[in-house]
Amino acid sequence: MFKKLAFTVALASASTLAFAEPVTYKLDPAHTDVIAQWSHFGFSNPSAHFGDADGTLVYDADNVAASSVEVTLPLSGLNSFTAKFDEHLRSSDFFDAAAFPVATFKSTRVESAGEGKLTVTGELTIKDITRPVVLDVTLNKIGENMGGQAAIGFDATTTVKRTDFDLGMAAPAVSDEVSLRITTEAAVPKDA
């Protein structure tokens, strides 16, 4: 009887491992960055960084379609590394941060794109204008972070058009297309 009970417990444990539940992670703003880059009249390719990200990432390794991501980027975290230009970017000429203080992204579909690769389709909202965006995503690592928390890290890229979000000042001389490079680390909260 003991052998039968031990076998049943082992089988139940194995089936639990085989069908892992989705894991919910909280974005780490210190290790999450969105870098935007564009052409300035063909002379240079400046960039701006969007920091202080807040969000949640759900990842299901066994069923990536059950995964999701939701991120808020406060425009207070916008940094072009030039204070005067930051003010201009936050002005009504561009982001109008006083009226629209955050940008958001919410996934609508996650698909496998090969080993360690994902395609994440979602809705990007800037200035209350929502447009579909597709991210090409690379899974960097799943493991434990320095604090001993379960953690995950991704990189992603996409291209958006400024004019789609009423940010088109000086387009197309200043490129309408903006490349976005995203890196993120997220961890399971300690109280979870």
Side-chain angles (χ1 to χ4, degrees):
M1 172 133 179
F2 177 74
K3 285 183 179 180
K4 187 175 181 181
L5 179 60
F7 176 74
T8 303
V9 169
L11 187 60
S13 296
S15 64
T16 301
L17 292 174
F19 299 101
E21 293 291 317
V23 179
T24 300
Y25 302 89
K26 179 82 173 150
L27 264 59
D28 176 355
H31 296 101
T32 298
D33 203 4
V34 177
I35 303 288
Q37 190 169 37
W38 60 93
S39 171
H40 188 257
F41 294 90
F43 293 111
S44 62
N45 297 289
S47 61
H49 134 101
F50 294 80
D52 299 330
D54 181 42
T56 302
L57 190 152
V58 177
Y59 186 67
D60 188 332
D62 295 327
N63 177 19
V64 294
S67 303
S68 64
V69 62
E70 193 164 341
V71 180
T72 299
L73 289 171
L75 294 176
S76 59
L78 168 62
N79 185 355
S80 70
F81 309 103
T82 305
K84 190 171 182 180
F85 188 43
D86 289 347
E87 288 175 22
H88 191 202
L89 288 173
R90 288 191 189 103
S91 77
S92 59
D93 286 342
F94 290 102
F95 286 99
D96 196 3
F100 307 100
V102 298
T104 62
F105 177 81
K106 183 175 183 178
S107 65
T108 55
R109 185 171 64 240
V110 178
E111 302 166 286
S112 176
E115 187 68 31
K117 305 285 185 185
L118 301 169
T119 300
V120 177
T121 303
E123 296 181 336
L124 177 62
T125 302
I126 300 172
K127 295 175 74 171
D128 280 350
I129 300 167
T130 301
R131 298 282 185 260
V133 171
V134 178
L135 302 174
D136 295 318
V137 179
T138 299
L139 171 60
N140 296 329
K141 183 176 179 180
I142 299 175
E144 278 192 7
N145 65 14
M146 291 175 61
Q149 297 166 274
I152 195 165
F154 293 95
D155 279 359
T157 59
T158 193
T159 301
V160 297
K161 288 191 172 184
R162 296 188 297 123
T163 51
D164 286 347
F165 299 96
D166 191 25
L167 300 169
M169 182 180 184
V174 175
S175 62
D176 190 12
E177 289 194 343
V178 174
S179 299
L180 298 179
R181 241 179 34 245
I182 302 156
T183 191
T184 188
E185 186 176 321
V188 174
K190 289 186 178 181
D191 57 358

